[in-house]
């Protein structure tokens, strides 16, 4: 008797419609994830800086109007996009030159506002738990004796320049506030030793590494794009360079990495950062995140927070024909739903061995 495998595959029932995708809002993301997304989009580091600074200018026009348009809906004070655009336009004109909302000049911009609104909602994952460091910044400056006017005012302007970096995507409110106050004290030569020594970091639920990352993000902005900032134009370039050298020396002495990483990333990466701290390299010998040579050198990352409800990884951005994208704020609810639904979409395959009788008798001629 010789075993053989059945050739006819079993009938697989139709699993039904696609269960949809779930995108979980992420209040914080790491620098490496930001660069992965930029590489997938084909944006180099140099081009990223110029696009980001142009976007800040763009925020002052259409994006600001779209944000106000969205906020009116959230607060149940509905306003038409034309009304908002008309109000913004009339602020710059005399009373005799002001226009009405039904003027044709607002037709195209009104359509742009609606498109930007949708983009903002999808990019934020409908998560409006925003963080504003300005109020806490003034309190911290007052607590630690940051001067009456000069340090708080400079720190406040630095908090506005901070939005020209990726720091608001990565750091908590206390981290951004402390970094701005500390850097303002260093620039004005009025150092705040309590903040530099990190005496109350545990109280503010932050670490020196996170604050160091924010400080260096601001100094990168002031050394390379000083003309596009509020504070950079008021101080000499040499002052920012000297502060950066001192911070780099401190980071090297304390073995602080340039960018904060998750525990899983620390286990996968290797190499040496700009601060002299060793990191692990991947199989290609590349260091995360700035030493990735091209988009081909990085494994295709998944879109941030986008997974199938069955737990299957999503390759690329799904279209409407591939399933509906749903947004959730609670990760536990998403995990529970994934666990419950996955059983109904799991396909189990079984192999059977069938014994057939072989005929060993040979016909003689």
């Amino acid at each position: 008797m010789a075993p053989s495998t059945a050739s006819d595959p079993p009938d697989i029932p139709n699993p039904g419609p696609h269960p949809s995708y779930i995108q979980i809002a992420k209040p914080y993301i790491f620098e490496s994830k930001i660069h992965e997304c930029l590489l997938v989009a084909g944006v180099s580091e140099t081009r990223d800086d110029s696009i980001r600074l142009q976007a800040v200018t763009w925020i002052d026009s259409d994006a600001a109007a779209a944000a106000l348009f969205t906020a009116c809906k959230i607060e149940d004070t509905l306003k038409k996009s034309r009304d908002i655009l008309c109000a913004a336009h009339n602020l710059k004109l005399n009373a005799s030159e002001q226009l009405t909302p039904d003027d044709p000049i607002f037709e195209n911009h009104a359509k742009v506002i609606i498109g930007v609104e949708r983009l903002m909602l999808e990019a934020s994952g409908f998560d409006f738990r925003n963080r504003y460091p300005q109020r806490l910044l003034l309190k911290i400056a007052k607590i630690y004796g940051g001067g009456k006017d000069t340090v708080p005012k400079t720190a406040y302007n630095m908090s506005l320049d901070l939005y020209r970096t990726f720091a608001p995507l990565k750091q908590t409110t206390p981290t951004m506030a402390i970094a701005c106050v500390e850097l303002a004290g260093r620039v004005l030569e009025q150092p705040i030793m309590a903040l530099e020594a990190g005496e109350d970091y545990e109280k503010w639920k932050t670490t020196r590494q996170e604050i160091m990352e924010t400080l260096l993000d601001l100094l990168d902005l002031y050394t390379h794009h000083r003309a596009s900032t509020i504070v950079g134009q008021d101080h000499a370039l040499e002052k920012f360079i000297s502060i950066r050298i001192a911070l780099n020396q401190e980071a090297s002495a304390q073995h602080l990495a340039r960018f904060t990483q998750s525990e899983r990333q620390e286990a996968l990466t290797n190499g040496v950062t700009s601060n002299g701290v060793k990191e692990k390299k991947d199989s290609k010998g590349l260091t995360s995140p700035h030493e990735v040579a091209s988009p081909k050198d990085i494994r295709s990352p998944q879109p941030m927070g986008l997974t199938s409800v069955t737990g299957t990884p999503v390759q690329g951005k799904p279209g409407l024909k591939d399933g509906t994208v749903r947004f959730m704020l609670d990760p536990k609810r998403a995990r529970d739903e994934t666990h419950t639904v996955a059983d109904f979409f799991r396909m189990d395959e079984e192999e059977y061995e069938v014994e057939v009788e072989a005929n060993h008798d040979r016909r003689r001629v």
Side-chain angles (χ1 to χ4, degrees):
M1 303 290 289
S4 65
T5 305
S7 59
D8 297 333
D11 295 334
I12 300 177
N14 187 359
H18 194 280
S20 76
Y21 297 97
I22 296 177
Q23 179 169 326
I24 303 174
K26 291 184 176 294
Y28 306 102
I29 57 178
F30 290 100
E31 179 78 16
S32 57
K33 187 63 179 180
I34 295 175
H35 281 271
E36 285 180 6
C37 295
L38 292 174
L39 287 171
V40 171
V43 179
S44 63
E45 182 179 353
T46 304
R47 188 184 173 197
D48 159 53
D49 292 337
S50 61
I51 292 176
R52 178 158 37 85
L53 295 175
Q54 290 174 6
V56 174
T57 305
W58 178 63
I59 287 174
D60 294 335
S61 54
D62 291 338
L68 184 58
F69 182 55
T70 307
C72 289
K73 291 183 178 180
I74 296 173
E75 299 298 331
D76 292 330
T77 56
L78 300 182
K79 296 290 187 298
K80 294 182 179 179
S81 57
R82 285 173 168 269
D83 295 336
I84 296 175
L85 290 172
C86 179
H89 180 79
N90 291 339
L91 285 174
K92 307 173 184 178
L93 302 176
N94 298 325
S96 60
E97 300 176 348
Q98 294 182 355
L99 303 176
T100 58
D102 57 352
D103 195 285
I105 193 176
F106 303 120
E107 180 69 28
N108 293 331
H109 281 286
K111 296 178 181 179
V112 172
I113 292 300
I114 297 175
V116 175
E117 177 201 18
R118 180 176 179 179
L119 178 62
M120 292 171 59
L121 292 173
E122 292 182 353
S124 63
F126 290 83
D127 183 8
F128 300 104
R129 298 171 293 182
N130 298 320
R131 305 175 297 278
Y132 304 101
Q134 285 78 18
R135 181 181 298 179
L136 182 60
L137 179 150
L138 296 177
K139 292 182 179 180
I140 290 177
K142 182 178 180 180
I143 292 172
Y144 294 98
K148 294 183 179 180
D149 297 320
T150 54
V151 171
K153 183 177 180 180
T154 303
Y156 191 94
N157 290 332
M158 285 182 174
S159 70
L160 300 179
D161 285 337
L162 199 63
Y163 289 94
R164 292 173 168 83
T165 70
F166 287 123
L169 298 177
K170 302 181 294 182
Q171 309 298 349
T172 62
T173 300
T175 300
M176 293 188 288
I178 292 174
C180 291
V181 174
E182 178 182 339
L183 185 57
R186 289 175 180 268
V187 170
L188 297 175
E189 298 181 356
Q190 301 178 25
I192 304 175
M193 303 309 299
L195 292 181
E196 296 181 11
E199 295 178 357
D200 296 330
Y201 284 173
E202 185 176 354
K203 172 185 175 181
W204 299 108
K205 305 299 182 183
T206 186
T207 62
R208 185 58 182 171
Q209 179 168 338
E210 294 171 350
I211 292 176
M212 181 67 69
E213 179 180 356
T214 308
L215 288 170
L216 293 177
D217 285 345
L218 271 173
L219 290 172
D220 284 342
L221 178 69
Y222 290 139
T223 54
H224 298 294
H225 307 282
R226 196 162 56 96
S228 302
T229 64
I230 302 174
V231 177
Q233 303 180 55
D234 298 333
H235 303 277
L237 177 62
E238 291 74 14
K239 178 170 293 186
F240 294 113
I241 294 177
S242 62
I243 295 174
R244 183 172 181 175
I245 292 174
L247 290 175
N248 283 335
Q249 292 174 350
E250 178 187 344
S252 300
Q254 298 184 17
H255 303 287
L256 301 177
R258 173 62 179 89
F259 298 107
T260 307
Q261 294 182 327
S262 65
E263 294 180 358
R264 186 178 67 86
Q265 289 171 327
E266 290 178 353
L268 294 176
T269 56
N270 192 4
V272 178
T273 65
S274 59
N275 292 332
V277 181
K278 291 187 177 180
E279 295 178 344
K280 296 183 179 179
K281 295 183 179 179
D282 60 10
S283 58
K284 290 180 175 290
L286 299 172
T287 303
S288 173
H290 286 294
E291 294 188 7
V292 180
S294 68
K296 296 181 180 179
D297 295 328
I298 192 167
R299 303 171 187 84
S300 299
Q302 307 300 336
M304 288 188 298
L306 194 61
T307 56
S308 171
V309 75
T310 61
T312 306
V314 180
Q315 296 293 340
K317 185 176 181 180
L320 293 178
K321 65 180 181 179
D322 298 321
T324 305
V325 178
R326 295 184 294 117
F327 299 89
M328 286 190 181
L329 300 180
D330 187 2
K332 183 179 182 301
R333 179 183 175 186
R335 288 194 298 267
D336 293 342
E337 181 177 332
T338 300
H339 178 72
T340 303
V341 176
D343 293 338
F344 296 93
F345 287 86
R346 186 176 62 245
M347 298 175 60
D348 298 328
E349 297 182 0
E350 297 182 1
E351 294 185 358
Y352 298 91
E353 292 185 357
V354 180
E355 294 183 355
V356 297
E357 184 175 355
N359 187 6
H360 296 287
D361 297 335
R362 296 183 178 179
R363 189 175 182 181
R364 297 180 180 178
V365 182

